[in-house]
Amino acid sequence: MAKPRLLSGDRTTGKLHLGHLAGSLQNRVQLQDEYDTWLLLADVQALTTHYDRPQGLAESVRQIATDYLAAGIDPEKTTLFVQSQIPEIAELTILFSMFVTVSSLRHNPTIKAEAKERGYKDLYYGFLGYPVSQAADIAFCKAQLVPVGEDNVPHVEQARKIVRRFNALYGPVLVEPQVKVGDTPRLSGLDGAGKMSKSRGNAICLDATTAEIHTSLRQARTDPLRLTRFDPGHPDTCTVFSYHEAFRAEEANAIREECQTGRLGCQSCKGLIADGIDHILAPMRDRRREALKHPDRIDEILQAGTSHARAVAAHTMEEVRDVMHMNYFSARLSKGAST
Ligand code: SF4
């Protein structure tokens, strides 16, 4: 029996970091045995915020593909593909945009929150239309499952509505995806001031060396109320403790207790989590080194995945054009071909 199809991916705005690992990447590695997993390298969606920096896209695409392989994504089990190389996604985005209202996009909580965070007053058309583009990503490959973090749920809910509306208007050819909300809370940045993000300079990237991990963690924000080494700590307000919970879950209760009783100092605590993270990233370094020995192989993987995705996209668009009465020439062309 065919495995159900799962779609996930990342905007190609730079290297992946621990937030991606905890939030989605570890999960994808596990799910690739159970699902027909497709990973989208969303370079077009990267332009929604990086439209003025297209020269970085090619490097980002390869960096993220390398991060995937280093994390344990197996291209024999997972289809890796590049969004801009599937023009059918753009075509479907335009068709969807005919029946998606501007107010429904303006009220999307994720769009609102991100526009506020970035200080956008007048929204770009592409930025506002991100959920429509994401609906097309999901619909073209008929993904049945879309795993997301809490803050992306509104996008997938909007995608589900768009698919339902399309099927009701024209004919039931698209698949309404199920949402799988991850149970891992969003990882805080080292400064404790918000989510981990490379652009904010508060991230540990997946290609960090042992020394970089230790240096970064030495600067990480801890409990602001803990003024001396022997003061009782408050782990629930400490960024470092959130990393213990994310990456050393089995030790977290012991750390909590030692912190609250003042037995564990912050520098030692940071050393423990730095070692723990280093232990997780060590096998990734080996796989990364191996992948980087054969850079052509990364391009081949992306090309093969993208070709596979394009074939599926062409089939879906045939069905879409059929139910929308837009297959003007195919019958005549096939008749012409047979004579
Ligand atoms: S001991 Fe660890 S958990 Fe407690 S405040 Fe210090 S860094 Fe945070």
Side-chain angles (χ1 to χ4, degrees), residues 222-223 226 233-235 238 240-241 244 255 259 264-266 269-270:
T222 60
D223 170 11
R226 196 171 189 204
H234 305 84
C238 173
V240 174
F241 184 70
H244 279 283
I255 295 287
C259 168
L264 179 65
C266 291
C269 184
K270 287 175 171 183

